[in-house]
Amino acid sequence: MRTFIQEIADTIRKEYTDWDNLTVIFPNKRASLYFRKALAEQLDTPRWAPNILSVEEFIGSFSDLQEADKLSLIVSLYRVFKRITNSDENLDRFYFWGEMLLRDFDELDKYLVNAAGLFKDLSNQKELDQYFDYLTEEQKQFLVEFWQTIDFGSSASKRKFLELWQSLFPVYIAFRQHLMEEKSGYSGMIHRHVAENIDTFVPAGKKKEDGMKYVFAGFNALTSAEEKILTWFTEHRDARIFWDEDAFYVNEPHREAGTFFRQYRKHQVLGQTFPPEPKVYLGQPKKITVLGVPQKAGQPKLLAQQLDTTLRLLAEQNIAERTVIVLPDENMLMSVLYALPPSLQSINVTMGFPLVSTPYYSLIDFLFELHLHKRKDEFYYRYVLALLNHPYLKARVGEEAAQWREFIHKNNQVHIAPSFFEKKHELLEEIFRIVPAENFLAYLIHVVESLATSSDAGGLMEKEFAFHFHRILSRVQELTLSEPMELRMQQRMFRQVVRAEKVPFTGEPLKGLQIMGVLETRNLDFDHVIILSLNEGLWPAAPRQGSYIPHNIRRAYSLPTSEHQDAMYAYLFYRLLQRAEAIDLYYNTEPDVLGTGEMSRYLYQLIYETDWAHERKILYNPVQVHEAKPISIEKKADVLEKLERYFGKALTPSTLNTYLECRLKFYFKHLLEIREPDEVEEEADARIFGNIFHKVMELFYQDLRPPAGHWAVKEEHFINVGAKLERFIELAFRQHFHLPDTKVFEYDGRQLVVKEMVKKFAMKVLSYDKAYTPFTIELLEARNFTTQVNVMQRDKSLSIVLGGLIDRVDEKANTVRILDYKTGKDENKFESIESLFKRDPKRNKAAFQAMLYAWVYAQRNTMRSPEVKIQPGLINRKEIFKDDFEYGLYLGKHRLDDVTSLLPEFEKHLLILLHELFNPTQPFDQTDDLKVCGFCDYREICAR
Amino acid sequence: MTEKTFHIYRSSAGSGKTRTLAKEYLKLALRYPEYFRYILAMTFTNKSTQEMKDRIIRYLDDFVKGKSEDLSAEILSDFEKEGRLFTPAQFKDRSREVLSLILHNYSQFSVSTIDAFFQRVIRSFTRETNLLGNFRLEVDNDLVLEEVIDQVMDNLSDDDELRGWVLEFSLERLVEGKDWDIRAALLDFSKEIFKEEFKVIEEQVLRITENKEFFKSTREKLQRVVKQFENKVRQDARNLLKDFHAHGLTITDFKYGKSGSIYSYIAGLEDEIKPPGVRVMGMMVDATEWPSKGPQASVIASKGNQLWLSQLASLIGYIEKESISYFSAEQALRNLYVFGLLSDISKTLREYLRENNLMLLSDAPQFLQGVMQGQDTSFIYEKVGSFYRHFLIDEFQDTSGFQWLNILPLIKNGIAQNYRSLIVGDIKQSIYRWRGGDLNILQEKVKQDVGELMIDTFPLDTNYRSAGHVVTFNNVLFGTAANIISKETNTIFPQQSYSDAAQKVFRHPGKGYISIQFLDTAEATALKADDDEADKGKVKFEDVSLEKLPGILEQLQQKGIALRDIAFLVRDNSEGQMIAQYFMQYRSSADAKAEYKYDVVSNESLRLDQAASVVVLINAMRLLEDGKNLIARAQLAYEYQKLWPQQAFPNQHKLFSNSKTKDFARLVPPPFTNQQDILAALPLVELVENLIHMFNLGKLSTEIAYLQAFQDVVLEFSMREKSDLASFLQWWDDNKHKKSIQVAGGVDAAQIITIHKSKGLQFRYVVIPFLNWELNHPPMKSPILWCRSDEPLFKDIGYLPLKYSSKLENTCFHEYYTEERKRIYLDNLNLLYVAFTRAEQGLIALAPYSKSGSINNIGKLTERAIESSEPLQQYWSSGSRTLTIGSIEDERTEAPVNNSLVLKHYYITPWRERLQIRTRGKEFFQQTEQRKKINYGIFLHTLMSRIKTEADITVTLEQAMKEGLIHQDESSAIEESVKWIVTHPSLKPSFTTDVQLKREAALIMPDGSERRIDRITIRDKRAILIDYKTGAPKKEDEHQVNEYISILKTMDLEEIKGYLVYVNERVCKTV
Ligand code: SF4
């Protein structure tokens, strides 16, 4: 079938000879490409193409006003608005509202509306009639409905409405005047300018005698200005208009797609340019398929599958070229590009690559965040790390970037001064410096330049992105020079502008499969039409938001309303189907959170109104419930070897606890040492509480240590504990965050909370200690509190070191206390020695540890007097604040004053346990207790 | 006609609500062709909106085609009653007309969720309400809250008071031994501020607490009361005790000793002050009651009656009089930090939302309240652009107070003009109180607000869902249970709402199956002890119940019931997981029988993060973020090797240990290791596509559904402001547990679903394994109640937050406590109602048996209700403690046929190989010896195409600046270049006015191709052709110009001069 554009080309070739004096006008630019190609189709010699213009270019050519870009228009409007309304709103907050106002002005100009009348405040007028004698009865009725049925004056929002309403006309006038003076304007202003003065712009001459010929093609929803201009040319010049219509919607008054044609057909002048009857394309047999897909990602994949089949079936080469994929949801572009089957060689995309998806965007946004979150001229580590990890910086800084990341992790560098990067790397030095808000954009531009010129890494794409960001940042910079903004505002401005920008794809525009947005399909025809996301809110697009002009006033002045937009989209839809032979319509079967976005009305129309043959399909992929495969590591020779080598180190109680909890966890964590990477510990971290607390207790007692002799602790040592603790806590913090002594230390808020908690806990512990005085400290935070046992492994005897770090061992009157601080949620009670070895969710890990240390102590001190009582004790955060708190472990209900008699049994079980650990037939397998898995780092591997 | 204009339909489970609503809609819409524009139907979930729209359109279509005759007959007869007469043909025509009008004016077809409607109104008032028009709507409160809490934590440095609150909060947790992560704890705690109870008073709270001194002075005031009272009581008590001691008396001299003697009461006041119990009060008449039978009895009796009795009486009198203030003040003090924190967090939240131009979806109703207040409806309609007369509201019991307040003026406006509106609701199914649903509105408020005279109420009393036995059982059970709850909580509320619950049977009268079994855990424990001496632990109800489940599945399958027709209803996901795990183990145990299946499926079991493909993707992403993440390396290698085993699949130990070393590279696809840089620079969506491609995941047909769902997650995430890899991973870790594939009916497995989610659904057989939830709030989850009191002490404080606890019974806030208690009981009863009414054919439930008499959980309630319902007695077997009605009937259902398509292959081809983006950047940023240079010339083509003669230069440049094409700094450099061109001796003849000029001239060729010439001027058949170049000279350039010339030569020109202009080099080459 000939496309609409081909039909026009045919006519031109047949009926027009002088192409130098021929101007062909289409609604948009894309049609020109197709049109030139169609013209060339049957040429014998090269020829100059006629003058082919978009309507925008055509109208613009008559005016000496130049269209300014949106950003500068909004800034101009902002200044005018501020001056007239005395508003103190900043540009950032004004931006959106400015866009809306600009749109309203644009529209009322394009529709040639009498602005003075429109913006008149009639809230206090009784006799409305006199004000709009230029309106029809129906239009007046709308105005009366607006102004009279509303009782103005009561509510705050109505007052606000009126206040603004009154200022709009002066703003409108002043704004236009300002632009006039600059010889620039917005599109509507230019259109109106031309439409109202067309007689003078195009010198009058007798029709057809200047030899110029005009052809208008493919128009539908004309603005009043366009309508006026088209009418003028039809009347006064040698002009023709070609409409692209179909009887299906033109002849049925309720079908909104034909709204405008029905209107123009009745138009005095334009009406004569129509053929008596519209053509009939729709309703002829076509292959229509409606495909429902849950959500978005599946649509392109299904499309690819269907398309691949089609392409295979029709081995015909250029079928792809006559196929279009329309994307009402532009966010689907990437998914579609990835899905297209490899058999498709060439693709042409009329949309661009969104700049927000580029690494430059994230880089610049990180830079904003970096500076927004700095504290006292120091950067917050998160953003420093993010930047060091950014692909662009990594590529340029190389391995060193990773080293600094590691340094920051290892040393808990929460706040990082710019000096950290001094002399480390030129680029980093440039990035990590303190910049005042007014120079911030210059700084960003500089960073982009440095990156773009510093290496060839990333290639052309990266340079192209840099180029676009350079332009954008320069634009925003110009703004900030005239309208100073805080950083946050600059960031928002930047985000706003970038979001609208796309980098165009190159491609042979007329070759291969076409991928387009809805508006770009205007005037084009394809044999195979594929539409994705055919949902309400996408096609038709959601009712355009934001006009300050109320509904009824819009209607009174014939400004477009949502019905207008609906009619336009409906036309775009049905027109695209007119000449197509195969049509695939995909929609998302899941409505969005608000319950909107259901299947598009066009699909309802298709299903319930037309009798067009069509097929309906739903994508449903069977799911399988996954089941975790067990992991079990057999102790083959290599594992055993590893195990033996491992026991060069001491086997600590917590390692054994891990083993008892889950053998596999032990394997991963201790044997293979597959651990999570270091992380910066922040102030509110639970871990930090424990670390600082331990350190503080150590410092406190270390302070009491005499140079030699007994490490006695007496009651008087506890005078002024509070002040001492303050000092030690600070010291502990310093050590934790690796702060140099030179730096003054100031707690920030989170640290203060931790500090108070540590203090509270420490005070409590020390108050019990004080009551226990006098006593002697034997060991304090001793790292090598270990002993050795021999275990038979196959035929060898292995010597294993057991033990680890003990918090404190003290002694008083034949009682040796072996103390461990617990900041978590441990308990003091256990059922039996056996229970400490039993793999059971209720096993008391802390008691196991305490008993183990007691046993280590006994082993190390075999020569001790039989009088000596060994009393292991837990200082539990969870217990210590209870009124009946007492040190020590409880076996059932009995407090254990001396565990010596329990030790043999403990040792027996311990040896069994060690035996098991080395037993080749006992694999490292998974625990049955899922609670353990809940807190295990490996639960994802185990799929628990 | 004096028809009442506001209709309330009281529905019950399965009573054909949607049909009723659709019918009412149609009755209105069919009156006049365009009338549907005036109707707004509101539903509560997005699914039901869709369903409603579908329904209405389908019915209209049916009417056109002469189908759905019963409904059309009903409508026609209703019309007749209203005096609207339609012949069947007219009715058909009208239906056709309305259908086509709806389809072509679809935007006016207003069936929407309440939220969507509110958004529409808010969007049209942005300017008046100081909202930024392009505000983002955020549905995820938690996400925002995280940011807010971080900010609060940051503020700790500068805000002493706030720090005080946080400290108090943390210390309480420290002392109580709770988890020590303030951030997480605060997050959890702060959810309070999203509750409607708080929102209603938020403004008030913020206003009162704005005063810097507020908390300080409040604390002081309350402390004074507490101190004064304590001092007085303790002083008196001590004096008494001193006197006792002075007389040599000790506790043993008093009757009842430690447990309730006069002595112990007085001594106890030191620790905790409370009013005396019955025992003490009984002894307050005569002191001879006080002593035990000991030597001191007479001393006590005489001294007592002389002096102590009256002293104690006055003390008790004082306590009784003042204790309410005291307890109230004490509770208030205890929760003062809660107050401080919440008001601070709420303040910070407000600021955060404003700063970031966000609106929380859940805030919309509250926000709208501000807009609607004092507004006349016509102005609202005017702004929104729609005018409604009729409102049809579904699931009305879930309406929140704000929602109702917002809709009320609109409804009233309609009613005032005699337009009918209606609501449909069921108080018994109100289980969304935690989301703001307030059943009081349906129960009471509607009547007050609309006016009783305007209201007609209609019950929908036929059950179209369940079989006869199920309906009658529920009728009896809930009638009784509601009575019991009414007595327990001392309120008539439940009774009222359940009084019209009795439904008529529609489907299968006399059929259906009920089995409710009460399991004795003591018995089970005894049994267990027999076979395993060592394990003496008490058996839990859950375990006993779980053991019964396989038998139930077998029993049902035996009768031919397909697994997909069975649902397990649970309270929460953790119960669900328990069941899933049990069946998983059972399936591979020796007990499993080959002829039965034990597949169960839940949202949980279809979680994305457990799908092998997703695990691969996520860990690959983690490694891009941090290549040193050893766990991710191990996991990636392991999962990938499981999916695509290499020829020599290493043993597990090798695999894990190699994953740490550089051998890792051999365990994953090679491109993954050598293209890290390229991958890391990709946007999220593209990264995932590439990873799927690299790891060959699309080839796994069973993974496709997961991949698809995961990519949807990624697509959605990438719409956010921050969508970099690290943010995604962070978000994923926090949210992965919520992401799963929706359970679809197509899987042949029994579903596990929470009762809340099951609302609105139905299943042939429903199994409730754990019928044992508490009726009251569990102590650890006590909610916060916002209370106020007119007592002088509290009058100025306004609302304050107090934790729900029986302690409140003795305070002036006791009403809040009892009210909440009623509510929570009712919530739990309603939950039972929803659960029991999901069943079509059969209902099977397991509850714990307990001897205790108190009704504190739902199982006990059920048991008691069965016991006290006469009609159920015949079905009760006390031996097995089971209620059985009817039997499971043989039925074999066919799997539903569908027109579905399956993805056989997951297509992915990186597009960069096929398509490029336009590149100008290379020319713009040039690398030269001086390190860098910015090339401003790249817009030269555009500029030159606008220049006819030298005179145009200034204007063109100015214009280009206005358009943002060039930047001020660049303009002089560019101007120079342009001048150079225009004035170049060879080119100058082209820039005069007396030539025929073509710019960017298109030459079309017979082969359909096209050439673009930058500039060509013609005079007397002599042409000058110019081609601009901004790069360095290249050989191809000349070829190109030569080609142009040779084409032009065929076109009636006599002489053609061609020039190549290299702008940056300032070279003009003649061709
Ligand atoms: S997840 Fe569970 S089974 Fe796996 S290692 Fe951790 S604790 Fe063991």
Side-chain angles (χ1 to χ4, degrees), chain A residues 662 664-665 668 925-927 932-933 936 938-939 942 944:
Chain A
C662 173
L664 185 64
K665 187 174 174 183
F668 281 139
D925 54 4
Q926 292 164 302
T927 176
V932 175
C933 302
C936 174
Y938 310 102
R939 66 183 179 279
C942 294
R944 288 287 176 94

Side-chain angles (χ1 to χ4, degrees), chain A residues 681-731:
Chain A
E681 288 181 358
E682 278 195 85
E683 296 87 329
D685 213 302
R687 245 180 315 175
I688 223 175
F689 175 66
N691 287 351
I692 302 255
F693 177 80
H694 275 84
K695 192 90 223 162
V696 167
M697 291 304 288
E698 183 184 354
L699 288 169
F700 182 87
Y701 283 110
Q702 206 70 56
D703 190 49
L704 305 179
R705 183 176 207 162
H710 269 303
W711 190 345
V713 179
K714 301 182 195 114
E715 193 174 351
E716 65 256 34
H717 288 141
F718 294 81
I719 301 167
N720 244 341
V721 173
K724 276 189 182 173
L725 281 180
E726 289 280 340
R727 189 152 52 83
F728 295 137
I729 292 175
E730 183 185 324
L731 210 58

Side-chain angles (χ1 to χ4, degrees), chain A residues 510-526:
Chain A
L510 303 176
K511 273 229 181 94
L513 180 90
Q514 301 287 320
I515 302 177
M516 306 186 167
V518 170
L519 295 178
E520 284 133 355
T521 64
R522 271 188 292 189
N523 298 327
L524 308 183
D525 290 296
F526 298 89

Side-chain angles (χ1 to χ4, degrees), chain A residues 631 658 661-669 925-944:
Chain A
I631 306 179
T658 306
E661 269 177 9
C662 173
R663 297 183 191 97
L664 185 64
K665 187 174 174 183
F666 168 86
Y667 166 81
F668 281 139
K669 188 169 173 183
D925 54 4
Q926 292 164 302
T927 176
D928 293 331
D929 179 8
L930 293 177
K931 289 218 183 61
V932 175
C933 302
F935 297 94
C936 174
D937 286 344
Y938 310 102
R939 66 183 179 279
E940 288 194 14
I941 297 184
C942 294
R944 288 287 176 94

